[in-house]
Amino acid sequence: MVHESFQTVKGQINWDHPMYRLYEKAKRNGRWNPADIDFSQDKEDYNRLHLEERISILPLISSFSAGEEAVTLDILPMIHVMARLGWLEDTMFLTTFLHDEAKHTEMFSRWQQAVGVGDIDLSVFHSDSYKRIFYEALPESMERLYTDDSPEAIIRAATVYNMIVEGVLAESGYYSFRQIFKKAGLFPGILQGIDYLNMDEGRHIQFGIYTIQRLVVGHDDRFRLFHEYMDELWEHAFGVVNYLINLAEEQQKLATAPTILEFHPDMMRDYAVKQFEIRKSKIDRVKKYDSLSELEAALGS
Ligand code: MN
Ligand code: FE2
Protein backbone atom coordinates (compact mmCIF):
# COMPACT_ATOMS: atom_id res chain seq x y z
CA MET A 1 0.00 0.00 0.00
CA VAL A 2 1.31 3.47 -0.86
CA HIS A 3 0.15 6.76 0.64
CA GLU A 4 -1.68 9.06 -1.72
CA SER A 5 -1.87 12.03 0.62
CA PHE A 6 -1.43 13.07 4.22
CA GLN A 7 -4.17 14.67 6.28
CA THR A 8 -1.84 16.90 8.33
CA VAL A 9 -0.26 18.61 5.32
CA LYS A 10 -3.45 19.09 3.34
CA GLY A 11 -5.13 20.35 6.47
CA GLN A 12 -5.14 19.43 10.13
CA ILE A 13 -6.03 16.78 12.58
CA ASN A 14 -9.78 17.00 13.16
CA TRP A 15 -9.60 18.38 16.69
CA ASP A 16 -13.36 17.91 17.18
CA HIS A 17 -13.42 14.27 16.04
CA PRO A 18 -14.92 12.04 18.77
CA MET A 19 -11.85 9.80 18.58
CA TYR A 20 -9.49 12.73 18.88
CA ARG A 21 -11.37 13.89 21.97
CA LEU A 22 -10.97 10.41 23.44
CA TYR A 23 -7.26 10.57 22.66
CA GLU A 24 -6.97 13.82 24.63
CA LYS A 25 -8.91 12.25 27.51
CA ALA A 26 -6.59 9.25 27.48
CA LYS A 27 -3.49 11.44 27.69
CA ARG A 28 -4.97 13.29 30.66
CA ASN A 29 -6.67 10.51 32.62
CA GLY A 30 -4.65 7.47 31.67
CA ARG A 31 -1.47 8.38 33.51
CA TRP A 32 -1.36 5.77 36.24
CA ASN A 33 1.28 3.17 36.84
CA PRO A 34 0.40 -0.36 38.01
CA ALA A 35 3.85 -0.60 39.58
CA ASP A 36 2.89 2.21 41.99
CA ILE A 37 0.00 0.26 43.53
CA ASP A 38 0.75 -1.16 46.96
CA PHE A 39 -0.50 -4.74 47.29
CA SER A 40 0.89 -5.45 50.76
CA GLN A 41 -2.53 -5.23 52.47
CA ASP A 42 -4.00 -7.43 49.72
CA LYS A 43 -1.38 -10.04 50.53
CA GLU A 44 -2.32 -10.02 54.22
CA ASP A 45 -6.02 -10.13 53.41
CA TYR A 46 -5.57 -13.01 51.00
CA ASN A 47 -3.60 -15.06 53.47
CA ARG A 48 -6.31 -14.65 56.10
CA LEU A 49 -9.09 -16.02 53.86
CA HIS A 50 -10.07 -19.67 54.07
CA LEU A 51 -9.97 -21.86 51.03
CA GLU A 52 -13.70 -21.50 50.27
CA GLU A 53 -13.37 -17.72 50.36
CA ARG A 54 -10.41 -17.77 48.01
CA ILE A 55 -12.64 -19.51 45.49
CA SER A 56 -14.64 -16.30 45.36
CA ILE A 57 -11.68 -14.29 44.11
CA LEU A 58 -9.37 -16.62 42.19
CA PRO A 59 -11.86 -17.45 39.39
CA LEU A 60 -12.53 -13.72 38.96
CA ILE A 61 -8.78 -12.99 38.88
CA SER A 62 -8.25 -15.82 36.43
CA SER A 63 -10.95 -14.44 34.13
CA PHE A 64 -9.50 -10.94 34.24
CA SER A 65 -5.86 -11.96 33.81
CA ALA A 66 -6.48 -14.01 30.70
CA GLY A 67 -9.05 -11.49 29.49
CA GLU A 68 -6.66 -8.54 29.73
CA GLU A 69 -3.91 -10.57 28.09
CA ALA A 70 -6.28 -11.52 25.27
CA VAL A 71 -7.38 -7.93 24.60
CA THR A 72 -3.75 -6.75 24.70
CA LEU A 73 -2.69 -9.34 22.13
CA ASP A 74 -5.81 -9.00 19.99
CA ILE A 75 -6.17 -5.23 19.54
CA LEU A 76 -3.46 -4.92 16.88
CA PRO A 77 -5.65 -5.83 13.88
CA MET A 78 -8.08 -3.06 14.90
CA ILE A 79 -5.22 -0.55 14.82
CA HIS A 80 -4.07 -2.04 11.53
CA VAL A 81 -7.43 -1.76 9.80
CA MET A 82 -8.03 1.83 10.92
CA ALA A 83 -4.54 2.82 9.78
CA ARG A 84 -5.17 1.15 6.40
CA LEU A 85 -8.40 3.10 6.06
CA GLY A 86 -6.45 6.28 6.80
CA TRP A 87 -8.54 7.04 9.91
CA LEU A 88 -5.90 9.15 11.63
CA GLU A 89 -7.78 10.22 14.78
CA ASP A 90 -8.94 6.65 15.46
CA THR A 91 -5.43 5.33 14.99
CA MET A 92 -4.03 7.97 17.34
CA PHE A 93 -6.56 7.05 20.02
CA LEU A 94 -5.78 3.36 19.63
CA THR A 95 -2.11 3.95 20.50
CA THR A 96 -3.35 4.77 24.03
CA PHE A 97 -5.74 1.83 23.99
CA LEU A 98 -3.00 -0.75 23.47
CA HIS A 99 -0.94 0.84 26.24
CA ASP A 100 -3.93 0.78 28.61
CA GLU A 101 -4.51 -2.94 28.02
CA ALA A 102 -0.83 -3.69 28.58
CA LYS A 103 -1.05 -1.94 31.97
CA HIS A 104 -4.20 -3.89 32.87
CA THR A 105 -2.42 -7.15 32.11
CA GLU A 106 0.53 -6.01 34.20
CA MET A 107 -1.73 -5.02 37.12
CA PHE A 108 -3.32 -8.46 37.52
CA SER A 109 -0.02 -10.28 37.07
CA ARG A 110 1.58 -8.10 39.75
CA TRP A 111 -1.32 -8.80 42.12
CA GLN A 112 -1.00 -12.55 41.60
CA GLN A 113 2.69 -12.35 42.30
CA ALA A 114 2.17 -10.14 45.37
CA VAL A 115 -0.38 -12.41 47.09
CA GLY A 116 1.59 -15.54 46.24
CA VAL A 117 -0.48 -17.24 43.54
CA GLY A 118 1.80 -16.25 40.67
CA ASP A 119 2.82 -19.80 39.86
CA ILE A 120 -0.57 -21.50 40.24
CA ASP A 121 -2.33 -22.49 37.01
CA LEU A 122 -5.63 -20.62 37.22
CA SER A 123 -6.88 -21.72 33.80
CA VAL A 124 -8.93 -24.46 35.52
CA PHE A 125 -11.44 -21.68 36.19
CA HIS A 126 -12.09 -21.04 32.48
CA SER A 127 -15.48 -22.49 31.55
CA ASP A 128 -16.51 -23.57 28.04
CA SER A 129 -18.37 -20.27 27.67
CA TYR A 130 -15.26 -18.37 28.66
CA LYS A 131 -13.20 -20.30 26.13
CA ARG A 132 -15.75 -19.73 23.38
CA ILE A 133 -15.38 -15.96 23.82
CA PHE A 134 -11.77 -15.40 24.83
CA TYR A 135 -10.01 -18.29 23.14
CA GLU A 136 -12.06 -18.25 19.92
CA ALA A 137 -14.61 -15.55 19.04
CA LEU A 138 -12.41 -12.62 20.06
CA PRO A 139 -9.19 -13.55 18.22
CA GLU A 140 -11.12 -14.85 15.19
CA SER A 141 -13.14 -11.70 14.67
CA MET A 142 -10.14 -9.46 15.33
CA GLU A 143 -7.71 -11.33 13.10
CA ARG A 144 -10.13 -11.12 10.20
CA LEU A 145 -9.44 -7.35 10.14
CA TYR A 146 -5.96 -7.99 8.71
CA THR A 147 -7.52 -9.02 5.42
CA ASP A 148 -11.03 -7.57 5.60
CA ASP A 149 -11.76 -3.87 6.10
CA SER A 150 -15.49 -4.14 5.37
CA PRO A 151 -17.95 -2.38 7.70
CA GLU A 152 -19.38 -5.81 8.57
CA ALA A 153 -16.00 -7.14 9.72
CA ILE A 154 -15.32 -4.03 11.82
CA ILE A 155 -18.80 -4.13 13.38
CA ARG A 156 -18.33 -7.79 14.37
CA ALA A 157 -14.90 -7.15 15.86
CA ALA A 158 -16.05 -4.12 17.87
CA THR A 159 -19.15 -6.03 18.99
CA VAL A 160 -17.26 -8.90 20.57
CA TYR A 161 -14.31 -6.81 21.80
CA ASN A 162 -15.89 -3.57 22.99
CA MET A 163 -19.54 -4.44 23.60
CA ILE A 164 -19.35 -7.99 25.01
CA VAL A 165 -15.86 -8.40 26.49
CA GLU A 166 -15.47 -4.83 27.75
CA GLY A 167 -19.05 -3.60 27.92
CA VAL A 168 -20.67 -6.63 29.54
CA LEU A 169 -18.01 -8.89 31.05
CA ALA A 170 -15.41 -6.42 32.32
CA GLU A 171 -18.11 -4.06 33.65
CA SER A 172 -19.85 -6.92 35.46
CA GLY A 173 -16.50 -8.02 36.85
CA TYR A 174 -15.81 -4.58 38.37
CA TYR A 175 -19.24 -4.67 39.91
CA SER A 176 -18.51 -8.05 41.53
CA PHE A 177 -15.15 -6.88 42.85
CA ARG A 178 -16.77 -3.88 44.51
CA GLN A 179 -19.82 -5.76 45.73
CA ILE A 180 -17.84 -8.50 47.41
CA PHE A 181 -14.53 -6.98 48.47
CA LYS A 182 -15.16 -3.29 48.99
CA LYS A 183 -18.02 -4.04 51.38
CA ALA A 184 -15.85 -6.55 53.25
CA GLY A 185 -13.01 -4.02 53.52
CA LEU A 186 -10.58 -6.30 51.72
CA PHE A 187 -7.97 -5.88 48.97
CA PRO A 188 -7.52 -2.09 48.84
CA GLY A 189 -4.75 -2.42 46.25
CA ILE A 190 -6.65 -4.28 43.61
CA LEU A 191 -9.74 -2.16 44.24
CA GLN A 192 -7.70 0.94 43.48
CA GLY A 193 -6.47 -0.77 40.31
CA ILE A 194 -10.07 -1.61 39.39
CA ASP A 195 -10.98 2.08 39.65
CA TYR A 196 -8.24 2.95 37.15
CA LEU A 197 -9.23 0.11 34.84
CA ASN A 198 -12.85 1.15 34.98
CA MET A 199 -11.95 4.66 33.84
CA ASP A 200 -9.78 3.32 30.99
CA GLU A 201 -12.49 0.91 29.90
CA GLY A 202 -14.98 3.76 29.79
CA ARG A 203 -12.94 5.27 26.95
CA HIS A 204 -12.56 1.91 25.23
CA ILE A 205 -16.29 1.28 25.29
CA GLN A 206 -16.85 4.79 23.92
CA PHE A 207 -14.51 3.92 21.07
CA GLY A 208 -16.53 0.77 20.34
CA ILE A 209 -19.84 2.58 20.50
CA TYR A 210 -18.78 5.30 18.10
CA THR A 211 -17.09 2.82 15.76
CA ILE A 212 -20.27 0.77 15.48
CA GLN A 213 -22.56 3.81 15.38
CA ARG A 214 -20.76 5.44 12.47
CA LEU A 215 -20.90 2.19 10.44
CA VAL A 216 -24.53 1.24 11.13
CA VAL A 217 -26.08 4.68 10.76
CA GLY A 218 -28.37 4.69 7.72
CA HIS A 219 -27.90 0.93 7.11
CA ASP A 220 -30.69 -1.32 8.39
CA ASP A 221 -28.85 -4.49 7.37
CA ARG A 222 -25.86 -3.51 9.53
CA PHE A 223 -28.10 -2.76 12.51
CA ARG A 224 -29.48 -6.26 12.10
CA LEU A 225 -26.01 -7.76 11.89
CA PHE A 226 -25.02 -6.00 15.12
CA HIS A 227 -28.10 -7.21 17.01
CA GLU A 228 -27.80 -10.76 15.71
CA TYR A 229 -24.17 -10.99 16.72
CA MET A 230 -24.90 -9.52 20.16
CA ASP A 231 -27.64 -12.11 20.70
CA GLU A 232 -25.41 -14.92 19.47
CA LEU A 233 -22.65 -13.92 21.90
CA TRP A 234 -25.00 -13.27 24.81
CA GLU A 235 -25.51 -16.97 25.49
CA HIS A 236 -21.78 -17.38 26.08
CA ALA A 237 -21.34 -14.06 27.90
CA PHE A 238 -24.11 -14.92 30.34
CA GLY A 239 -22.56 -18.38 30.61
CA VAL A 240 -19.32 -16.79 31.81
CA VAL A 241 -21.11 -14.71 34.43
CA ASN A 242 -23.32 -17.57 35.56
CA TYR A 243 -20.44 -20.01 35.89
CA LEU A 244 -18.57 -17.64 38.20
CA ILE A 245 -21.66 -16.97 40.29
CA ASN A 246 -22.54 -20.66 40.61
CA LEU A 247 -19.00 -21.51 41.60
CA ALA A 248 -19.01 -18.87 44.35
CA GLU A 249 -22.45 -20.02 45.55
CA GLU A 250 -21.30 -23.64 45.79
CA GLN A 251 -18.24 -22.63 47.77
CA GLN A 252 -20.35 -20.63 50.18
CA LYS A 253 -22.52 -23.67 50.82
CA LEU A 254 -19.46 -25.81 51.46
CA ALA A 255 -17.93 -23.27 53.82
CA THR A 256 -17.42 -24.61 57.33
CA ALA A 257 -16.63 -21.26 58.94
CA PRO A 258 -18.60 -17.98 58.87
CA THR A 259 -17.55 -15.57 56.13
CA ILE A 260 -17.30 -11.80 55.88
CA LEU A 261 -17.89 -11.97 52.13
CA GLU A 262 -21.34 -10.81 51.19
CA PHE A 263 -22.59 -12.02 47.92
CA HIS A 264 -25.81 -11.37 45.96
CA PRO A 265 -26.11 -13.69 42.96
CA ASP A 266 -29.32 -12.17 41.63
CA MET A 267 -27.97 -8.63 41.69
CA MET A 268 -24.93 -9.80 39.76
CA ARG A 269 -26.97 -11.58 37.10
CA ASP A 270 -29.26 -8.56 36.78
CA TYR A 271 -26.28 -6.27 36.43
CA ALA A 272 -24.90 -8.27 33.48
CA VAL A 273 -28.30 -8.28 31.77
CA LYS A 274 -28.58 -4.54 32.27
CA GLN A 275 -25.13 -3.91 30.77
CA PHE A 276 -26.07 -5.94 27.71
CA GLU A 277 -29.25 -3.93 27.22
CA ILE A 278 -27.45 -0.61 27.69
CA ARG A 279 -24.89 -1.46 24.97
CA LYS A 280 -27.66 -2.30 22.54
CA SER A 281 -29.59 0.84 23.32
CA LYS A 282 -26.51 3.03 22.78
CA ILE A 283 -26.24 1.73 19.23
CA ASP A 284 -30.00 1.99 18.63
CA ARG A 285 -29.81 5.64 19.60
CA VAL A 286 -28.46 6.52 16.11
CA LYS A 287 -31.50 4.99 14.38
CA LYS A 288 -32.97 8.48 14.32
CA TYR A 289 -30.26 9.66 11.90
CA ASP A 290 -30.36 8.83 8.20
CA SER A 291 -26.69 9.22 7.42
CA LEU A 292 -23.22 9.56 8.88
CA SER A 293 -23.14 13.28 8.13
CA GLU A 294 -26.32 13.75 10.19
CA LEU A 295 -24.74 11.85 13.07
CA GLU A 296 -21.54 13.89 12.79
CA ALA A 297 -23.49 17.13 12.75
CA ALA A 298 -25.32 16.04 15.91
CA LEU A 299 -22.01 15.23 17.61
CA GLY A 300 -20.49 18.53 16.58
CA SER A 301 -17.60 16.91 14.74
MN1 MN B 1 -8.61 -3.68 29.93
FE1 FE2 C 1 -10.19 -2.20 27.27
Side-chain angles (χ1 to χ4, degrees):
M1 196 179 83
V2 297
H3 288 293
E4 268 151 28
S5 67
F6 292 98
Q7 182 179 335
T8 55
V9 287
K10 286 207 311 196
Q12 292 179 63
I13 290 168
N14 180 355
W15 311 109
D16 297 320
H17 195 292
M19 296 301 188
Y20 186 79
R21 286 191 228 143
L22 278 180
Y23 170 72
E24 281 293 337
K25 239 188 210 175
K27 285 190 296 170
R28 258 196 319 276
N29 302 338
R31 278 181 299 182
W32 63 283
N33 182 355
D36 292 341
I37 302 177
D38 178 4
F39 292 128
S40 54
Q41 184 63 45
D42 295 52
K43 182 185 178 172
E44 265 183 52
D45 291 344
Y46 184 80
N47 287 315
R48 269 204 310 262
L49 294 182
H50 10 95
L51 187 65
E52 290 85 5
E53 290 175 322
R54 290 180 187 178
I55 302 285
S56 68
I57 185 159
L58 287 184
L60 204 53
I61 293 289
S62 159
S63 306
F64 264 107
S65 290
E68 299 291 1
E69 181 176 332
V71 295
T72 303
L73 298 175
D74 293 339
I75 192 63
L76 278 166
M78 183 64 87
I79 305 181
H80 202 267
V81 73
M82 299 219 158
R84 274 181 357 252
L85 290 167
W87 293 2
L88 179 62
E89 292 82 2
D90 306 69
T91 305
M92 289 172 77
F93 170 65
L94 286 170
T95 64
T96 72
F97 195 126
L98 175 57
H99 188 212
D100 290 344
E101 298 303 3
K103 287 195 291 181
H104 302 172
T105 304
E106 177 195 344
M107 205 274 289
F108 285 102
S109 207
R110 282 185 182 279
W111 186 88
Q112 285 167 253
Q113 190 193 33
V115 307
V117 298
D119 295 319
I120 298 177
D121 181 1
L122 300 176
S123 66
V124 291
F125 296 118
H126 294 171
S127 60
D128 288 343
S129 299
Y130 187 91
K131 287 183 180 158
R132 177 70 200 111
I133 291 184
F134 288 92
Y135 290 55
E136 295 166 13
L138 180 70
E140 279 164 8
S141 71
M142 296 302 286
E143 219 168 288
R144 184 174 151 191
L145 300 178
Y146 278 131
T147 51
D148 187 348
D149 58 9
S150 66
E152 290 75 17
I154 298 173
I155 291 167
R156 277 179 77 88
T159 300
V160 57
Y161 193 118
N162 306 109
M163 301 295 101
I164 295 292
V165 167
E166 297 187 318
V168 176
L169 295 177
E171 290 288 323
S172 301
Y174 305 145
Y175 180 76
S176 307
F177 265 111
R178 291 180 180 132
Q179 276 291 311
I180 304 173
F181 304 111
K182 203 169 209 155
K183 283 197 181 148
L186 297 173
F187 304 135
I190 205 161
L191 284 168
Q192 190 194 346
I194 292 290
D195 286 345
Y196 289 127
L197 256 67
N198 203 170
M199 198 159 60
D200 293 346
E201 293 305 341
R203 296 191 299 273
H204 300 177
I205 293 167
Q206 266 314 112
F207 162 86
I209 288 171
Y210 183 67
T211 296
I212 297 171
Q213 281 179 340
R214 78 196 290 188
L215 293 170
V216 298
V217 69
H219 297 273
D220 288 342
D221 52 327
R222 296 182 195 165
F223 266 110
R224 254 198 318 279
L225 173 86
F226 164 71
H227 280 282
E228 280 167 12
Y229 197 39
M230 282 292 273
D231 293 340
E232 186 187 322
L233 291 167
W234 170 245
E235 182 198 331
H236 307 294
F238 194 67
V240 171
V241 174
N242 224 9
Y243 172 82
L244 291 172
I245 293 171
N246 290 342
L247 200 62
E249 271 186 310
E250 272 167 42
Q251 290 305 313
Q252 283 214 327
K253 281 182 205 143
L254 291 173
T256 45
T259 178
I260 47 164
L261 300 179
E262 245 189 80
F263 175 71
H264 305 281
D266 290 337
M267 278 168 69
M268 286 175 184
R269 289 192 187 95
D270 290 349
Y271 190 84
V273 173
K274 212 176 79 202
Q275 293 306 306
F276 178 74
E277 282 163 2
I278 291 172
R279 302 308 151 209
K280 279 191 158 195
S281 74
K282 293 263 180 191
I283 301 304
D284 286 340
R285 197 175 280 181
V286 301
K287 271 195 171 139
K288 60 181 179 229
Y289 306 114
D290 288 327
S291 65
L292 181 58
S293 49
E294 267 185 42
L295 170 65
E296 284 173 341
L299 291 172
S301 48

